[in-house]
Amino acid sequence: MTAASKHISANNRGRVEGIAKVTGKATYSAEYQLPGLVYGVLVGSTITSGKITHLDVEGAKQAPGVVAVLSYWNKPNASGLDNLESRDKLPIHHKFFHTTQIDFNDQPIALVLAETIEDATHAATYVKATYDEAPFDIDFSSASKKAELKDAQNDRGSSSDWANAPYSVDEEYTISMEVHNPMEMHATIAHWESDDQLRLYDKTQGVNGVQENIGTIFGLDPTNIRVTSEYVGGGFGSGLLVWFNTVAAALAAKQLERPVKVVLTRPQMFTMVGYRPESWQRVKIGADETGKLLGIIHQSKHNTSQQHYFAEGITGIAHKVYGFKNVERNFAVFPLHLSAPTWMRGPGDSTGTFGVESAIDQLCYQLNADPVEIRLKNIAPYDMQTGNPWSSHYLNECLERGAKEIGWNQRPKQPRQLKNGEWYTGYGMAVGLWTAFRRNAGASIEMNRDGNLVVRTAMTDIGTGTGQAMVNMIHTFLGVPKNKIAIELGDSVHPRSVTQGGSWGLSSLSGAIDAASTALKKEIASYASKDNELWNASEVRLGETGVYSSENKKQTISYQQLFDSNALESINVEEYSNAGEEREKYGFCSSAAHFYKVRVHSLTGKVKVDRMVIVVDAGTVVNPQAAANQIIGAGVGGVGMALREKQDIDKSTGRLVANDFAGYHVAVNADVPIIEVSFINKPDPNINPMGAKGLGEVGLIGSAPAITNAIYNAIGKRFRHLPVTPDKIVTS
Ligand code: MOS
């Protein structure tokens, strides 16, 4: 086979790639060694809006080791960029050498290429641009006030029906701009193997998407571009799109006729690969005396960039979780002079859920009702958007189990009841829900003479444990011992598959693994039936030394015999699978209940999260260790969102105030307790052959409001702006 990626030993239990990762043997995109490699460093604009009138690159060109400096004035040719009409359709991060227009601070304006990374970094400091500056707008609150709300689609009922609801809450909520910051920096190595064959090693969540985007830019068929992304050090959504580093590396490699590597610096990770936009919401909800929710008005606003429109769908959640008969939603998206925002960690829904779950908590105190009871009473009885029944939905069990595990009944029902020294203790809860998607995915199996299997897919693994999940599924479908299964993934030479994101990776891939397993069993049955009694494909099982029949265990053929008598070298199958008409008949969702206990220090405003109990319904759990890891990671993201993460912009310059981990605070170990995760683990009967609904996002959604609800229970103060830093607590 053509794959360059190494076979992965499947002998360990936790993750097939675990040993390679912890011993440093795993090769990440920036680490491939290519002869003649040139190092590229991006230079960003120092203004926020305007035009470059002159670029002085002479100093940089004379610096040691410099090979070239690329910019608008000597841009390489690429048909997708040279044609005005097609170029206009591209987002800014695909065409930066092709404009002098500056629309955000640190927008890449040049690429300095040198023999070493040190030389390139040094030389980049000599690039000097002269600008014609223009006014800029980065002021969220004033732009947000001016932005007019538009009606969203698919609303129902009427807001006048519940205008006089006996209980209601009508409040505004805001969340700061947050930045993904995966551990691994975005990085690309580009190598033109011939005029029309491009090889890319790229940090991405989807190799096939990179093929298509880069294909458009160079006017090439996507299959002319091979993209490898075998190991990915986290994504959180930043790797869903193709950004500057990939395009820059490909353009420069073409120009220089040498392989080029471009790795973003940590500061560039804040301006060049997206972020969760700052947002405003208004949530109005009403209930009757029994606590039945009557209706919701959910409004939202967030920014996009000047040249790339992005809408994150904050109010979608208003439809999904509760059985509101009346739903009215409005939204506004307005441009600022900032880089492009994009999907990040439970995009849209985690933002919207902060508003909705905070409002419901407040309503419960008005009603003097148990927040768990109110939620149990109001869970959407079916998919309210389509009217279809839920295929499976166990949020009620998540709520019941979570309440029990944290000791919910013993909690103080009113704020400020539990005080120990200077610390107040409080309990809070919230729920999360995420549509369970399934998309077209492919997988192949190669079976060798010893009965060992190599299973391949183009899908990347961004740290979720996809490889081990593939091993577990193959073992389930075929019976083959796990030590006979090797995995190759994250390379576009393998069968085309989904981008890993949106919690749809495993759900989609399981269909392909099942289809490939079925195809392999058919092949084996026909070979086995040649010299033996007839084998049914459905009864084929794979053992240590041969195939056997699940119906009649005595019927066994050694692998050697099977391959010899059919003169086989290997058996190869490749299958693709997509969702079917079940999507028209059922609603699909994963859900989670978050039950947290926090302490708030009365003098300093410090918040300690003491317990986090997260109970998840994600259908079948294919790999319990990796699944728990995903939810733990999501919970850490929830603590960050609630208490830490925040990007400020300097109003006078349009620059980010923090572009490193000293200024931008992600949650660290000291901020997070041992997160207690459990799964309902009941298969969904319709979503895919494995019954797995997908997880990841749902562990974050609902996490932040569970924390702010617990803070309210502790000290009686309701926070509607994230993050809740100690200064807010002390001064509120
Ligand atoms: Mo994501 S925002 O599911 O990559």
Side-chain angles (χ1 to χ4, degrees):
M1 292 295 286
T2 47
S5 52
K6 292 169 291 290
H7 289 200
I8 298 166
S9 156
N11 288 320
N12 56 337
R13 277 177 306 157
R15 286 173 182 244
V16 290
E17 79 286 12
I19 289 172
K21 276 186 174 170
V22 299
T23 56
K25 291 207 174 81
T27 308
Y28 289 81
S29 296
E31 298 178 320
Y32 288 84
Q33 302 296 327
L34 272 69
L37 192 65
V38 181
Y39 296 80
V41 167
L42 287 165
V43 180
S45 70
T46 55
I47 65 161
T48 301
S49 172
K51 272 191 182 309
I52 315 171
T53 52
H54 177 69
L55 196 70
D56 178 359
V57 298
E58 286 315 307
K61 279 165 89 173
Q62 282 159 27
V66 169
V67 177
V69 181
L70 295 185
S71 71
Y72 173 82
W73 284 273
N74 59 348
K75 57 183 176 286
N77 291 326
S79 63
L81 294 172
D82 299 337
N83 174 331
L84 260 183
E85 202 182 324
S86 68
R87 188 208 309 171
D88 281 350
K89 294 191 190 121
L90 294 171
I92 185 167
H93 38 279
H94 289 185
K95 61 182 178 189
F96 58 95
F97 283 142
H98 288 70
T99 180
T100 55
Q101 177 77 25
I102 300 297
D103 290 303
F104 64 92
N105 209 287
D106 206 28
Q107 180 181 321
I109 58 172
L111 181 70
V112 177
L113 295 139
E115 299 291 349
T116 67
I117 182 72
E118 291 81 6
D119 284 346
T121 305
H122 171 239
T125 63
Y126 295 125
V127 174
K128 295 283 175 264
T130 312
Y131 302 97
D132 187 2
E133 276 194 73
F136 58 82
D137 185 4
I138 49 86
D139 186 344
F140 180 90
S141 45
S142 72
S144 169
K145 281 193 189 91
K146 275 184 261 160
E148 277 182 38
L149 289 164
K150 287 187 277 194
D151 293 342
Q153 305 282 307
N154 302 322
D155 291 349
R156 56 181 178 265
S158 157
S159 293
S160 54
D161 271 13
W162 58 283
N164 300 316
Y167 294 90
S168 70
V169 167
D170 188 351
E171 301 282 2
E172 295 179 32
Y173 305 84
T174 51
I175 302 177
S176 299
M177 170 181 174
E178 299 169 39
V179 189
H180 307 79
N181 273 310
M183 203 188 302
E184 182 198 16
M185 255 70 81
H186 281 246
T188 309
I189 297 173
H191 174 43
W192 288 87
E193 291 171 335
S194 71
D195 266 0
D196 63 354
Q197 294 291 326
L198 175 61
R199 186 88 162 82
L200 289 172
Y201 304 87
D202 193 34
K203 179 225 169 84
T204 177
Q205 293 177 232
V207 292
N208 301 118
V210 177
Q211 281 182 300
E212 271 155 34
N213 279 268
I214 298 295
T216 304
I217 290 170
F218 288 97
L220 287 176
D221 190 272
T223 55
N224 287 36
I225 300 159
R226 176 172 170 192
V227 184
T228 301
S229 195
E230 194 184 355
Y231 297 97
V232 179
F236 308 131
S238 63
L240 293 169
L241 294 178
V242 169
W243 299 102
F244 302 99
N245 50 294
T246 311
V247 184
L251 285 167
K254 180 120 200 160
Q255 180 96 335
L256 300 185
E257 298 181 352
R258 286 175 67 178
V260 168
K261 166 153 79 177
V262 179
V263 184
L264 298 190
T265 61
R266 182 57 68 181
Q268 288 173 338
M269 291 288 289
F270 285 79
T271 51
M272 296 186 191
V273 290
Y275 57 91
R276 190 201 302 282
E278 187 170 352
S279 62
W280 167 91
Q281 305 173 58
R282 175 189 163 214
V283 178
K284 180 179 178 189
I285 51 171
D288 67 14
E289 291 83 354
T290 69
K292 186 177 163 40
L293 296 172
L294 301 173
I296 183 167
I297 297 174
H298 197 176
Q299 301 175 331
S300 77
K301 296 181 181 185
H302 70 77
N303 74 276
T304 183
S305 62
Q306 290 293 332
Q307 293 195 7
H308 179 69
Y309 179 83
F310 170 76
E312 79 159 357
I314 291 171
T315 62
I317 201 70
H319 268 303
K320 296 180 190 168
V321 187
Y322 300 109
F324 290 112
K325 286 223 159 54
N326 303 291
V327 174
E328 180 188 319
R329 302 177 306 142
N330 319 99
F331 74 101
V333 175
F334 52 89
L336 291 177
H337 286 90
L338 293 172
S339 64
T342 191
W343 303 282
M344 173 171 156
R345 307 183 200 149
D349 286 353
S350 55
T351 305
T353 296
F354 171 58
V356 173
E357 290 297 294
S358 299
I360 290 185
D361 195 66
Q362 187 176 343
L363 192 73
C364 290
Y365 281 95
Q366 267 187 37
L367 281 155
N368 202 17
D370 180 347
V372 175
E373 294 299 319
I374 293 297
R375 285 174 174 85
L376 284 170
K377 189 187 288 232
N378 286 287
I379 293 172
Y382 51 88
D383 181 345
M384 304 290 288
Q385 262 178 291
T386 58
N388 291 333
W390 294 116
S391 175
S392 69
H393 191 19
Y394 301 110
L395 180 56
N396 54 345
E397 292 186 30
C398 297
L399 283 161
E400 282 154 9
R401 188 190 295 179
K404 208 160 143 196
E405 283 179 16
I406 199 129
W408 185 249
N409 286 339
Q410 268 78 57
R411 84 197 186 282
K413 309 241 174 347
Q414 292 301 322
R416 301 174 74 87
Q417 302 294 305
L418 270 183
K419 196 175 184 205
N420 188 353
E422 288 163 349
W423 293 89
Y424 285 101
T425 293
Y427 291 76
M429 56 85 48
V431 303
L433 186 142
W434 182 255
T435 300
F437 299 95
R438 177 182 173 190
R439 304 201 156 162
N440 200 354
S444 66
I445 307 175
E446 176 187 331
M447 181 178 180
N448 295 303
R449 292 178 63 82
D450 49 9
N452 287 350
L453 306 183
V454 187
V455 189
R456 299 182 170 97
T457 181
M459 197 163 98
T460 52
D461 174 10
I462 62 172
T464 55
T466 305
Q468 188 66 40
M470 290 167 74
V471 169
N472 294 357
M473 291 191 289
I474 288 284
H475 172 72
T476 304
F477 295 140
L478 294 173
V480 60
K482 291 185 184 179
N483 61 7
K484 295 181 80 71
I485 307 167
I487 301 297
E488 292 182 2
L489 46 65
D491 196 312
S492 63
V493 292
H494 302 322
R496 188 188 163 78
S497 197
V498 280
T499 290
Q500 188 166 88
S503 299
W504 59 60
L506 185 68
S507 167
S508 309
L509 187 60
S510 69
I513 298 280
D514 177 63
S517 299
T518 303
L520 183 67
K521 288 200 277 189
K522 275 194 193 137
E523 292 270 313
I524 292 172
S526 84
Y527 289 126
S529 301
K530 239 172 104 184
D531 303 325
N532 301 277
E533 52 185 294
L534 215 58
W535 283 61
N536 272 327
S538 63
E539 60 192 60
V540 170
R541 302 294 279 173
L542 280 63
E544 187 64 49
T545 55
V547 296
Y548 62 94
S549 157
S550 59
E551 304 299 309
N552 171 10
K553 282 247 160 88
K554 286 198 207 110
Q555 202 180 344
T556 301
I557 306 173
S558 75
Y559 291 122
Q560 204 178 350
Q561 190 192 342
L562 184 77
F563 276 67
D564 284 349
S565 63
N566 291 283
L568 297 169
E569 285 302 317
S570 63
I571 304 175
N572 291 283
V573 293
E574 175 171 330
E575 292 293 327
Y576 294 81
S577 132
N578 208 344
E581 58 182 19
E582 72 280 359
R583 303 289 314 185
E584 310 300 316
K585 294 187 195 156
Y586 301 101
F588 294 96
C589 69
S590 291
S591 61
H594 299 260
F595 286 86
Y596 298 172
K597 179 185 175 191
V598 307
R599 270 182 299 145
V600 183
H601 192 256
S602 54
L603 301 178
T604 63
K606 185 179 177 67
V607 176
K608 287 294 285 178
V609 184
D610 278 350
R611 285 189 71 192
M612 297 172 74
V613 173
I614 310 178
V615 187
V616 178
D617 165 31
T620 304
V621 174
V622 174
N623 178 350
Q625 284 179 324
N629 279 349
Q630 277 201 64
I631 299 300
I632 290 166
V636 175
V639 175
M641 186 176 190
L643 302 174
R644 294 279 178 272
E645 295 188 53
K646 171 187 207 285
Q647 180 60 271
D648 284 316
I649 301 150
D650 180 337
K651 288 206 166 64
S652 62
T653 62
R655 281 183 205 161
L656 303 185
V657 171
N659 61 2
D660 58 28
F661 287 141
Y664 183 90
H665 294 174
V666 294
V668 297
N669 281 346
D671 298 316
V672 182
I674 301 292
I675 299 177
E676 301 158 66
V677 178
S678 74
F679 295 98
I680 302 300
N681 197 13
K682 290 185 186 170
D684 184 286
N686 302 296
I687 189 160
N688 54 42
M690 203 64 216
K693 292 196 284 190
L695 43 78
E697 328 272 346
V698 81
L700 178 74
I701 300 166
S703 184
I707 291 174
T708 50
N709 292 345
I711 293 173
Y712 180 80
N713 186 250
I715 59 171
K717 289 178 184 173
R718 174 77 58 192
F719 292 96
R720 299 186 186 86
H721 172 77
L722 297 182
V724 187
T725 44
D727 54 302
K728 307 251 175 47
I729 292 180
V730 170
T731 57
S732 65

